[in-house]
Amino acid sequence: MDFGLTSEQEAIREAVGQICARFDDAYWLKRDREGGFPQDFYDALAKEGWLGICTSEAQGGAGLGITEAAIMMRTIAESGAGMSGASAVHINIFGLKPVDIYGTEEQKNRMIRPMAEGREKACFAVTEPNTGLNTTQLKLRAEKRGSVYHVSGQKVWISTAQVADRILLLARTTPLEEVKKATHGLSLFYTKFDRERIRAREIEKMGRKCVDSNELFFDDFQIPEEDLIGEEGRGFEYILQGMNPERILIAAEAVGLGMAALRKASQYARERVVFNRPIGQNQGIQHPLAKSWCELEAAWLMVMRAAWLYDNGKPCGEAANAAKYLAGEAGFEACQTAVMTHGGFGYAKEYHVERYLREVMVPRIAPISPQLVLSFIAERVLGMPKSY
Ligand SMILES: Cc1cc2nc3c(=O)[nH]c(=O)nc-3n(C[C@H](O)[C@H](O)[C@H](O)COP(=O)(O)OP(=O)(O)OC[C@H]3O[C@@H](n4cnc5c(N)ncnc54)[C@H](O)[C@@H]3O)c2cc1C
């Protein structure tokens, strides 16, 4: 068993860290206040080829694994970019995995390369307002007439839809009443985001202002049949391919953000003097921070284990879900502890940790809630009856 990073993995951390260092706390504070996609940050990573880290070499990427991508995403979040930085590039890293596996050669060449090179942005539209985590009940309808699918309905919480050129869309092609299993009859499309036919209304939200999330309204949105991925009706099965890597990456981001919070908090605790000594000399301040560090390190081991399983072609659902759960909770605990360590100043924007606390709620809630992860583990690992 080897717990060390390879020299290539160390080099990834170093190189990505150097790019991130050009985008300091003041940059992310401004993005948090004003919103506006962090295009210069996105371009800086794209220019050095980092958006294609997981993309195969045939499509212009580096052909590395989810392990390397997790190291990169942790580094981004840990730099202080947090979820604002990580979510700006997240979908480019893993998002088109289903196209890579199930797409035709023509689709791969047309769709994957522009994303890996950062020339195109995409959004991933699964969640619907009246379906929640029960994905098989999705209602957004895509009806085929001739060679074109006509889409009408609604999605919600779709990130980066304000800036996306393309949309990866899960829609129902056969009504729920007509399929044998609820997982059947959903289809996956990757197509142009047509603003004439899709209205994106930005949701005002708690944090990560610079990476928008939206309600989408589809009004006879038309998709040519060449933009259907794989076979009609098997979209649910296809998106499962992307779910484990997504959980691994978001877990890595939560660990990074938690570590950023600990860095700020321990620096403050060393410098802030109250009762004639640094507050960090009190065990009441030290222990919660040290405990958070232990929890983040343990979560990171689970992230690396899940990534190793995935990269070695082994089943990784349990580990990926456990990593996402542990990292989300540990990241939250670290950010909350960092705010409390700063006392009143923790509530001031200029100390940054309140932004981290608002942002760390994202990897806690999405793409799956802690409750649903625990229900999955209870059923699949502990053999209890399915509860959801
Ligand atoms: C910032 C942000 C960005 C997002 N970006 C995207 C995106 O780009 N694309 C996309 O498709 N989606 C996106 N989402 C949506 C996200 O994946 C969902 O919000 C998440 O999956 C939870 O679904 P829901 O909000 O409908 O919660 P619900 O399903 O309504 O659940 C609400 C609560 O009830 C609990 N619950 C529900 N059923 C059970 C049960 N059986 N047992 C125990 N507890 C239960 C849940 O755990 C949760 O706590 C984003 C969300 C956020 C906040």
Side-chain angles (χ1 to χ4, degrees):
M1 207 172 284
D2 184 353
F3 287 97
L5 295 187
T6 64
S7 53
E8 188 184 37
Q9 291 166 345
E10 292 281 11
I12 290 170
R13 207 160 60 169
E14 181 70 27
V16 172
Q18 276 175 12
I19 295 173
C20 293
R22 310 207 302 254
F23 300 87
D24 60 8
D25 285 343
Y27 174 87
W28 293 111
L29 185 59
K30 190 165 155 52
R31 294 270 64 77
D32 183 57
R33 281 205 182 106
E34 297 172 7
F37 189 79
Q39 187 66 43
D40 38 3
F41 173 75
Y42 177 95
D43 288 341
L45 287 168
K47 189 165 166 242
E48 312 268 325
W50 291 107
L51 302 187
I53 187 168
C54 279
T55 306
S56 69
E57 289 172 80
Q59 312 302 334
L64 297 173
I66 207 77
T67 307
E68 284 73 24
I71 291 167
M72 167 176 157
M73 297 312 285
R74 172 179 165 170
T75 306
I76 290 174
E78 195 166 355
S79 73
M83 299 309 292
S84 295
S87 300
V89 297
H90 182 98
I91 192 169
N92 293 67
I93 309 300
F94 81 94
L96 294 190
K97 201 76 206 161
V99 179
D100 189 29
I101 300 174
Y102 301 104
T104 62
E105 283 309 310
E106 184 277 324
Q107 287 177 325
K108 286 186 208 179
N109 289 329
R110 180 160 57 91
M111 299 170 176
I112 298 179
R113 187 179 283 268
M115 276 280 273
E117 292 177 353
R119 285 185 285 114
E120 277 182 1
K121 295 193 191 74
C123 60
F124 183 28
V126 174
T127 308
E128 290 183 10
N130 300 317
T131 309
L133 288 154
N134 197 357
T135 310
T136 60
Q137 303 300 305
L138 293 180
K139 302 273 179 313
L140 182 92
R141 187 82 170 93
E143 220 178 317
K144 195 169 184 190
R145 287 181 231 143
S147 60
V148 174
Y149 289 88
H150 294 254
V151 181
S152 292
Q154 212 179 323
K155 292 276 177 190
V156 74
W157 279 117
I158 310 312
S159 296
T160 66
Q162 296 290 334
V163 292
D165 307 289
R166 308 266 152 192
I167 180 168
L168 184 65
L169 177 69
L170 191 65
R172 187 158 278 294
T173 38
T174 311
L176 200 51
E177 310 76 65
E178 294 171 26
V179 290
K180 284 201 189 89
K181 280 178 77 179
T183 50
H184 297 168
L186 291 164
S187 299
L188 190 64
F189 302 91
Y190 187 68
T191 193
K192 190 168 175 291
F193 194 110
D194 176 1
R195 290 181 194 279
E196 299 281 305
R197 304 281 177 151
I198 312 174
R199 187 162 61 84
R201 194 188 72 80
E202 189 168 351
I203 299 169
E204 203 175 334
K205 60 190 189 309
M206 182 176 180
R208 209 195 68 179
K209 185 170 181 173
C210 65
V211 181
D212 56 89
S213 296
N214 304 270
E215 280 182 281
L216 298 187
F217 302 90
F218 298 78
D219 180 13
D220 194 28
F221 170 55
Q222 297 178 16
I223 308 178
E225 65 183 351
E226 55 268 25
D227 289 350
L228 170 74
I229 307 302
E231 284 175 43
E232 188 181 299
R234 293 181 60 188
F236 184 80
E237 187 189 320
Y238 300 160
I239 65 157
L240 291 181
Q241 292 295 332
M243 281 184 175
N244 288 326
E246 182 181 29
R247 279 164 209 194
I248 295 167
L249 294 187
I250 206 144
E253 294 160 22
V255 170
L257 185 50
M259 287 295 187
L262 287 193
R263 188 176 62 234
K264 289 268 183 239
S266 38
Q267 185 190 340
Y268 188 81
R270 284 192 298 270
E271 291 169 1
R272 170 77 169 167
V273 174
V274 184
F275 295 110
N276 302 318
R277 59 181 188 167
I279 57 167
Q281 207 173 336
N282 302 302
Q283 289 179 342
I285 288 289
Q286 290 180 354
H287 288 186
L289 293 171
K291 181 166 166 272
S292 269
W293 181 85
C294 299
E295 288 167 357
L296 287 168
E297 282 290 324
W300 181 245
L301 285 181
M302 188 56 97
V303 173
M304 286 289 99
R305 178 170 142 70
W308 182 88
L309 289 168
Y310 182 85
D311 286 338
N312 285 280
K314 297 177 192 296
C316 70
E318 292 158 8
N321 275 284
K324 147 75 179 104
Y325 172 77
L326 291 170
E329 299 309 297
F332 171 70
E333 208 46 51
C335 292
Q336 178 175 243
T337 304
V339 170
M340 295 308 286
T341 301
H342 282 73
F345 290 107
Y347 211 61
K349 286 195 184 285
E350 67 177 287
Y351 285 83
H352 306 285
V353 286
E354 65 80 39
R355 171 167 62 86
Y356 298 171
L357 181 58
R358 286 184 284 112
E359 290 194 1
V360 83
M361 293 306 283
V362 178
R364 244 190 140 193
I365 295 170
I368 184 171
S369 68
Q371 290 93 335
L372 263 284
V373 170
L374 295 178
S375 297
F376 171 86
I377 301 283
E379 180 205 351
R380 299 293 174 92
V381 182
L382 304 178
M384 286 184 260
K386 186 170 178 175
S387 67
Y388 53 95

